[in-house]
Amino acid sequence: MPKLIIDNREVEVPSGATILDAAEKLGITIPTMCFLKGYEPSTSCMVCVVKIEGSDGFVPACGSIAQDGMRVCSSSQEVRQARKTALELLLSDHLGDCIGPCQVACPARMNIPLMIRRIAAGDLQAAIATVKQDIALPAVLGRICPAPCEKACRRAQLDGAISICLLKRYVADVDLQSASPYLPPLRQGSGQACTPGKNKCVAIVGAGPAGLSAAYYLRQQGYDCTIFDQREKPGGALRYAVLPERLPTDVLDKEISLIERLGVKFQGQTHIGREGGILLSQLRRDFDAVFVAVGPLQPGDAEGIGLATGPHGIVTDAGTYQTSLPGVFAGGDAVRARRLTVRAVADGKEAAVSIGQYLSGQEVTGPIKAFNTHIGKLTDEEIKKFVTEAGAAPRVTPSQEGGGFTDEQARCESARCLHCDCGKAESCKLRQYAQEYEARPSRYKNQKTEDGRQMTEDRGQRTENRPALSILRSPSSVLCYEPGKCIKCGLCIKIAAQAGERPGLTFVGRGFDVRVAVPFDGQLSESLKTAARQCAAACPTGALFSRRRHGDEPPNKLGG
């Protein structure tokens, strides 16, 4: 049996084993996209390349046989750069959205499509859990948010955007009116709603939306939080600047009470940085970190607090919310001119990530920015394809002006969603590896669409006719095919052939124009009668995916 060395570690494998097999035996992870165990490797994606000592180029680990005495490098910067290039070449021909346009437009990056699917499925407990992963005050925002997400909704170009804000309000209101409103789930080994205290505490200056949000997410990390505010009650501008007709006081009180139930302490009528109040230096001495969320700065505030300011407020690092003082962070209207409550709530959530990194001794890098690619505006024909699997009713209007949805109205409105987010966003290998290797989608500009049609660019925006969405229906699910996301790995062709599908699938065309299709211009629904779901599960991108008709989330999620 051959012995070889991979990354300075020796391994023995059976004759005929590949470098990929040898690496797996050592526990070394080599990325693969076009490879699936049980099938002949096609070595087409070149994402699994490694370097063999003594050779000039790279070889695909999935198709290279391990040789005795071979020395392999799988993790050098040179190898990583080669894989990055392979990924960027694949992305140059990739037409698809990783994240729905509505989620991209939401300052808090809430998973709006998943919330809507869960409402449609009648699982409101899961829906509120989805919302509160990113928004600590959904009932508040459901009433006052200007809904930038709806401006990006693709259904708007057909018959009106989905009423995302009202759906969020509906889920939050139902939860607040329940006997046991949602609290973050128990973590293993914890007898409380949050992890036990980590002997670290955070002072939050300002009880407005940014401060409340930061406290909500810091408590979930296990840190003690005390919110200081100059007013008697928490809420900031939400309580003292928004008319009760728009935001009823009882709604605000209920959402704040849920944050307090996590163990957040509130100390009102306390001035920070002013005569007779508490100095920032004192907070830094008594607490392990400070988050400043005082709202728009008033004359004299900056001097009193003792932080550097610019034209829009306190100066911070845009990615981490760190100020010039170690351990002091700032967010919300205190640092930016655009005064949106949803942006302030997002600041609090994101700052909590940075503060958690600081308190745990990690490098403070801030929240990870999820990798995403964009299609842009769809053609009318493409929109019609999406609508075939959505409700045909027009946008729902609440029965009472300024009121919320009834149960039936919420179900009807949620059925209108086009589900234009990627069906495999959480398990797409192309997206995972692009994030890991910091690949840039625009590095290489492809001049054709996947089916050979010419593509032009106008100020960097694609304006070509894009591939349409194909639909396969079954009693319990919808199988979708988006050719623009296909990397031509051939796995679906091999699976269909092994399953005995007739006519099955094949490659059509040559060179860069090659594409996966049904022989003799047949229909996809005719070619995958039994192996469709197996093909969908094996697809390394979101080109072929399975979506439940009344399911709660995109299938094939990692770990699921």
Side-chain angles (χ1 to χ4, degrees):
M1 294 197 302
K3 291 182 181 179
L4 65 157
I5 294 175
I6 304 179
D7 296 342
N8 298 317
R9 296 169 61 190
E10 187 178 75
V11 61
E12 186 176 32
V13 293
S15 297
T18 64
I19 294 175
L20 185 64
D21 295 327
E24 185 177 324
K25 188 172 181 179
L26 286 172
I28 295 173
T29 300
I30 294 178
T32 63
M33 290 192 65
C34 65
F35 175 77
L36 184 65
K37 281 190 175 182
Y39 296 88
E40 285 294 317
S42 61
T43 66
S44 63
C45 72
M46 298 302 287
V47 174
C48 69
V49 294
V50 295
K51 188 73 179 286
I52 299 175
E53 188 177 287
S55 66
D56 293 332
F58 302 92
V59 298
C62 68
S64 300
I65 302 300
Q67 304 291 337
D68 193 56
M70 182 181 279
R71 297 184 69 92
V72 179
C73 179
S74 77
S75 58
S76 69
Q77 187 58 38
E78 186 183 18
V79 169
R80 287 186 60 85
Q81 183 58 47
R83 292 174 183 169
K84 178 179 178 179
T85 299
L87 290 165
E88 289 174 337
L89 286 169
L90 291 173
L91 288 167
S92 72
D93 198 36
H94 185 75
L95 295 173
D97 290 317
C98 299
I99 301 172
C102 56
Q103 185 175 355
V104 173
C106 173
R109 293 294 189 269
M110 189 187 88
N111 193 336
I112 294 166
L114 179 54
M115 174 196 74
I116 293 174
R117 278 192 285 275
R118 287 178 161 172
I119 294 173
D123 192 348
L124 300 188
Q125 184 68 17
I128 189 63
T130 299
V131 173
K132 287 211 164 183
Q133 283 182 351
D134 299 295
I135 293 179
L137 301 164
V140 169
L141 287 174
R143 288 167 167 83
I144 67 171
C145 184
C149 53
E150 295 183 20
K151 295 176 179 64
C153 176
R154 287 207 170 108
R155 182 127 192 185
Q157 73 183 81
L158 183 67
D159 59 357
I162 308 300
S163 297
I164 297 167
C165 211
L166 282 176
L167 287 173
K168 176 173 60 186
R169 168 179 168 172
Y170 165 76
V171 170
D173 284 353
V174 170
D175 179 63
L176 288 179
Q177 294 163 12
S178 68
S180 301
Y182 174 83
L183 289 174
L186 294 171
R187 293 188 182 181
Q188 191 173 2
S190 170
Q192 306 172 23
C194 299
T195 55
K198 296 180 179 178
N199 298 319
K200 299 279 187 178
C201 54
V202 181
I204 298 173
V205 184
L212 291 169
S213 178
Y216 182 77
Y217 293 105
L218 283 166
R219 279 299 297 137
Q220 291 178 60
Q221 296 181 51
Y223 298 110
D224 292 331
C225 297
T226 300
I227 302 178
F228 297 89
D229 196 274
Q230 62 182 351
R231 296 185 183 271
E232 181 182 358
K233 294 182 178 181
L238 298 175
R239 184 181 300 277
Y240 296 102
V242 180
L243 294 175
E245 291 78 11
R246 289 188 65 206
L247 178 57
T249 303
D250 66 316
V251 172
L252 177 63
D253 287 342
K254 287 178 181 178
E255 291 218 297
I256 292 176
S257 72
L258 292 179
I259 296 174
E260 290 178 323
R261 282 177 60 182
L262 297 181
V264 175
K265 300 182 241 352
F266 173 73
Q267 186 171 322
Q269 297 181 309
T270 303
H271 293 278
I272 304 296
R274 295 183 180 180
E275 186 177 348
I278 300 175
L279 297 177
L280 181 60
S281 58
Q282 183 179 340
L283 292 179
R284 294 180 68 199
R285 184 177 64 249
D286 295 342
F287 292 83
D288 299 288
V290 179
F291 179 56
V292 180
V294 293
L297 296 182
Q298 303 301 319
D301 284 351
E303 293 79 3
I305 296 173
L307 292 171
T309 60
H312 303 301
I314 298 171
V315 176
T316 64
D317 180 276
T320 65
Y321 298 87
Q322 293 183 104
T323 70
S324 56
L325 296 178
V328 179
F329 301 76
D333 291 349
V335 303
R336 66 180 76 249
R338 191 182 182 196
R339 295 167 184 173
L340 289 178
T341 302
V342 65
R343 180 64 261 176
V345 169
D347 279 6
K349 179 193 71 171
E350 293 173 358
V353 174
S354 295
I355 295 169
Q357 293 169 343
Y358 173 79
L359 293 176
S360 60
Q362 303 176 47
E363 179 185 0
V364 180
T365 57
I368 296 173
K369 185 177 181 180
F371 180 85
N372 189 34
T373 58
H374 305 273
I375 292 180
K377 186 176 180 180
L378 296 180
T379 66
D380 291 341
E381 287 302 313
E382 287 169 331
I383 286 288
K384 290 176 183 177
K385 286 284 186 180
F386 278 102
V387 172
T388 60
E389 291 302 314
R395 180 178 167 110
V396 177
T397 301
S399 306
Q400 181 181 352
E401 185 176 354
F405 283 147
T406 64
D407 294 345
E408 181 58 32
Q409 287 174 330
R411 282 192 293 270
C412 183
E413 184 64 14
S414 63
R416 298 180 64 240
C417 181
L418 302 182
H419 303 295
C420 47
D421 58 319
C422 180
K424 298 177 75 170
E426 300 299 325
S427 61
C428 172
K429 287 187 174 183
L430 182 59
R431 186 185 184 209
Q432 291 173 5
Y433 296 144
Q435 178 114 27
E436 180 182 348
Y437 286 84
E438 299 180 340
R440 290 187 294 149
S442 59
R443 175 72 182 276
Y444 300 101
K445 298 291 186 180
N446 190 352
Q447 295 304 308
K448 290 186 178 181
T449 63
E450 64 86 34
D451 60 357
R453 288 175 287 179
Q454 289 297 318
M455 184 174 81
T456 61
E457 292 194 358
D458 178 19
R459 298 183 182 177
Q461 299 299 314
R462 290 168 171 169
T463 57
E464 80 290 352
N465 292 323
R466 298 173 184 85
L469 182 75
S470 298
I471 308 285
L472 286 171
R473 295 178 180 84
S474 71
S476 61
S477 66
V478 177
L479 297 174
C480 302
Y481 177 54
E482 293 188 57
K485 297 178 181 178
C486 179
I487 63 167
K488 292 88 173 176
C489 67
L491 289 177
C492 57
I493 296 175
K494 296 173 184 177
I495 291 170
Q498 190 175 92
E501 293 278 24
R502 296 292 183 270
L505 300 170
T506 189
F507 284 121
V508 175
R510 301 175 64 182
F512 287 110
D513 293 336
V514 71
R515 59 191 175 92
V516 175
V518 180
F520 312 112
D521 295 323
Q523 297 296 313
L524 191 61
S525 56
E526 298 171 356
S527 67
L528 294 178
K529 299 181 180 68
T530 61
R533 294 183 68 85
Q534 189 180 353
C535 290
C539 180
T541 69
L544 188 63
F545 63 95
S546 171
R547 177 173 283 151
R548 303 171 189 169
R549 283 188 182 276
H550 304 292
D552 58 358
E553 59 185 292
N556 305 314
K557 187 173 182 179
L558 285 179

